[in-house]
């Protein structure tokens, strides 16, 4: 039993446009030192998958800088390893903007040549906007034993009408097969089984789906493929009971990040034996705290300098907090500089932001105040 991984780096960029104007969803920073793609990559590598294709779209320079040759995930290999798959455009295509994919199915059609060159038995498909630490070997094994055409990872969670369209709802039967698959609506409330956007399928079956989609002009993997397969009882559900979060808005990014301040959540993500979350290694000096610094219930990365107060916040590498400044419920990305005597609450700063002395900035948990990359306030 062998498997190849396929990660979609761009298809959810529109969900969090504030942070994806100059980068892909896959390279959005998360949790002090990680990028979102680290979780999908680590899940695959920890499950013995040593060949991974990353489907790109545009704005993927930061993703290339982060991944490099894949050595930090033990994927710098002569055979296998990481394969960056840019969108396929022929020299005869006009109006290129309309030729780039916008859905998961179109993305797979665009990298059909890569899939056809693979010899592995199974393909593991994963989005990059999901936060979880899952043993994919168990998913592949259960898929193989079930004989289903496709196995999808599912998660039971509480959703509200405000989540309309953000989740794909699954109704499983008593045997664990999906009876129906549909997108959430404003009337969808309560505890539901949702698709975690991780799929396992036999490579030859995926090739057949792509060919059929090309022939019929299918666009949606959920509506045109999964829903039809579910009616034929061909989709098996694998319920994941660990920590899971999907980054589908700026408020979702903020709330999920804040959950990392809980020791139980950190243990469920980063404390699982033999399943580390790997990322690009960057050697920096330890964080520095002055005599007047006060820090409580916060995650502070290396290279930070804290001279003021930091409470219930997440600070990435190289953040500077000046004297007399109070930071509460904030996410400060790499190399953010905050001057003296400032007050920040529910603020997200992108990289290289400068906040001058005496500034008072505040947002709300449901609508955090976001400052774009390189801005000066």
């Amino acid at each position: 039993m062998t498997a190849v991984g396929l990660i979609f780096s761009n298809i959810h960029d529109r969900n969090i446009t504030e942070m994806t104007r100059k980068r892909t969803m896959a390279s959005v920073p998360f949790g002090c030192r990680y990028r979102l793609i680290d979780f999908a990559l680590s899940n695959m590598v920890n499950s013995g998958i040593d060949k991974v294709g990353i489907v790109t779209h545009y704005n993927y320079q930061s993703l290339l800088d982060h991944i490099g040759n894949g050595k930090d995930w033990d994927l710098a290999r002569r055979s296998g390893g990481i394969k960056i798959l840019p969108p396929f455009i022929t020299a005869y295509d006009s109006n290129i903007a309309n030729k780039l994919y916008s859905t998961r199915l179109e993305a797979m059609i665009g990298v059909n040549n890569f899939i056809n060159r693979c010899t592995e038995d199974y393909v593991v498909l994963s989005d990059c906007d999901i936060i979880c630490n899952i043993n994919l070997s168990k998913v592949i094994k259960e898929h193989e034993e079930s004989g289903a055409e496709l196995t999808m990872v599912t998660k039971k969670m509480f959703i509200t009408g405000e989540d309309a369209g953000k989740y794909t709802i699954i109704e499983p039967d008593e045997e664990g097969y999906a009876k129906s698959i549909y997108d959430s609506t404003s009337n969808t409330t309560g505890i539901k089984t949702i698709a975690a956007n991780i799929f396992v399928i036999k490579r030859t079956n995926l090739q057949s789906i792509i060919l059929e989609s090309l022939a019929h002009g299918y666009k949606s993997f959920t509506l045109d493929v999964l829903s039809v397969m579910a009616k034929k009882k061909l989709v098996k559900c694998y319920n994941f009971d660990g920590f899971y979060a999907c980054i589908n808005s700026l408020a979702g990014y903020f709330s999920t990040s804040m959950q990392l301040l809980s020791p139980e959540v950190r243990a469920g993500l980063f404390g699982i034996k033999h399943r580390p979350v790997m990322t690009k290694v960057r050697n920096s000096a330890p964080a520095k705290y002055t005599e007047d610094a006060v820090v409580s219930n916060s995650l502070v990365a290396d290279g930070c300098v804290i001279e003021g107060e930091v409470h219930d916040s997440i600070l990435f590498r190289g953040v500077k907090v000046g004297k007399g400044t109070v930071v509460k419920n904030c996410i400060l990305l790499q190399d953010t500089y905050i001057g003296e005597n400032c007050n920040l609450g529910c603020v997200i700063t992108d990289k290289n932001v400068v906040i001058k002395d005496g500034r008072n900035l505040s947002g709300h948990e449901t609508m955090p105040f976001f400052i774009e990359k390189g801005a000066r306030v």
Side-chain angles (χ1 to χ4, degrees):
M1 178 193 70
T2 56
V4 59
L6 199 61
I7 299 175
F8 304 96
S9 69
N10 279 96
I11 59 177
H12 298 294
D13 285 1
R14 286 172 289 183
N15 290 343
I16 184 170
T17 55
E18 297 91 343
M19 302 189 73
T20 56
R21 288 193 181 99
K22 298 180 180 180
R23 59 167 71 94
T24 67
M25 176 67 84
S27 55
V28 168
F30 182 81
C32 279
R33 59 195 296 262
Y34 301 94
R35 304 285 183 129
L36 291 185
I37 195 172
D38 292 336
F39 295 91
L41 267 179
S42 298
N43 287 336
M44 292 183 179
V45 172
N46 292 333
S47 302
I49 299 174
D50 57 13
K51 182 178 180 181
V52 180
I54 301 176
V55 188
T56 61
H57 194 305
Y58 58 93
N59 281 348
Y60 53 88
Q61 183 60 53
S62 63
L63 180 63
L64 296 178
D65 293 340
H66 179 68
I67 292 175
N69 63 358
K71 64 181 180 62
D72 294 302
W73 297 266
D74 192 27
L75 290 174
R77 300 164 180 260
R78 184 166 296 181
S79 176
I82 283 183
K83 310 293 183 184
I84 302 296
L85 307 174
F88 176 75
I89 304 171
T90 70
Y92 303 100
D93 283 333
S94 59
N95 194 4
I96 290 178
N98 294 328
K99 299 296 181 179
L100 298 178
Y101 67 82
S102 59
T103 68
R104 185 183 293 106
L105 183 56
E106 289 177 337
M108 287 189 288
I109 292 173
V111 297
N112 190 34
N113 288 337
F114 168 78
I115 297 172
N116 289 335
R117 290 196 300 269
C118 292
T119 58
E120 288 76 11
D121 301 318
Y122 298 97
V123 180
V124 179
L125 311 173
S126 177
D127 288 357
C128 65
D129 61 338
I130 52 180
I131 308 294
C132 68
N133 191 331
I134 183 173
N135 188 347
L136 294 174
S137 299
K138 291 184 178 180
V139 184
I140 296 172
K141 183 178 180 181
E142 185 168 309
H143 172 74
E144 191 176 29
E145 293 173 349
S146 69
E149 283 204 14
L150 181 143
T151 294
M152 63 190 315
V153 177
T154 59
K155 176 70 177 179
K156 289 184 178 180
M157 60 186 297
F158 183 84
I159 64 173
T160 65
E162 296 178 355
D163 299 318
K166 296 180 179 179
Y167 295 105
T168 299
I169 308 299
I170 313 298
E171 292 186 358
D173 61 17
E174 296 178 353
E175 300 176 61
Y177 286 88
K179 292 190 298 183
S180 63
I181 301 174
Y182 56 91
D183 291 331
S184 61
T185 66
S186 58
N187 296 323
T188 307
T189 59
I191 297 178
K192 303 292 182 179
T193 299
I194 68 162
N197 291 336
I198 301 175
F199 310 92
V200 176
I201 186 171
K202 199 170 183 179
R203 178 178 53 81
T204 52
N205 289 341
L206 181 59
Q207 290 171 313
S208 298
I209 288 173
I210 291 175
L211 289 176
E212 185 176 353
S213 299
L214 278 170
H216 294 87
Y218 295 156
K219 300 293 184 182
S220 172
F221 189 61
T222 300
L223 300 178
D224 296 327
V225 177
L226 294 181
S227 295
V228 175
M229 294 175 65
K231 294 177 182 178
K232 300 177 182 179
K233 202 174 180 179
L234 299 175
V235 179
K236 191 78 166 59
C237 299
Y238 178 94
N239 184 59
F240 177 61
D241 56 6
F243 177 82
Y244 171 86
C246 180
I247 308 297
N248 49 34
S249 66
L250 185 64
Y253 173 82
F254 181 83
S255 63
T256 302
S257 298
M258 290 295 106
Q259 290 184 64
L260 294 180
L261 299 178
S262 166
E264 292 77 15
V265 172
R266 293 199 301 272
L269 276 178
F270 307 111
I272 301 177
K273 193 175 182 179
H274 306 307
R275 297 219 306 269
V277 179
M278 294 164 277
T279 189
K280 180 181 179 180
V281 175
R282 175 182 170 184
N283 297 321
S284 302
K288 178 182 178 181
Y289 304 87
T290 64
E291 292 181 356
D292 298 327
V294 178
V295 179
S296 66
N297 193 36
S298 298
L299 300 179
V300 180
D302 50 348
C304 292
V305 178
I306 312 298
E307 298 177 347
E309 296 184 25
V310 177
H311 305 284
D312 304 313
S313 297
I314 297 175
L315 275 58
F316 285 69
R317 294 163 168 150
V319 171
K320 166 71 183 298
V321 178
K323 293 180 180 180
T325 290
V326 179
V327 175
K328 292 183 179 180
N329 299 317
C330 293
I331 303 172
L332 309 180
L333 267 58
Q334 184 176 314
D335 295 326
T336 292
Y337 176 90
I338 304 176
E340 299 180 358
N341 302 314
C342 298
N343 281 281
L344 275 66
C346 293
V347 173
I348 301 175
T349 65
D350 210 322
K351 297 172 64 175
N352 301 311
V353 166
V354 175
I355 299 176
K356 300 177 182 178
D357 297 348
R359 300 304 194 256
N360 296 310
L361 306 174
S362 180
H364 189 267
E365 293 178 358
T366 59
M367 188 176 290
F369 184 74
F370 178 78
I371 304 175
E372 66 179 8
K373 184 177 181 180
R376 299 175 67 88
V377 181

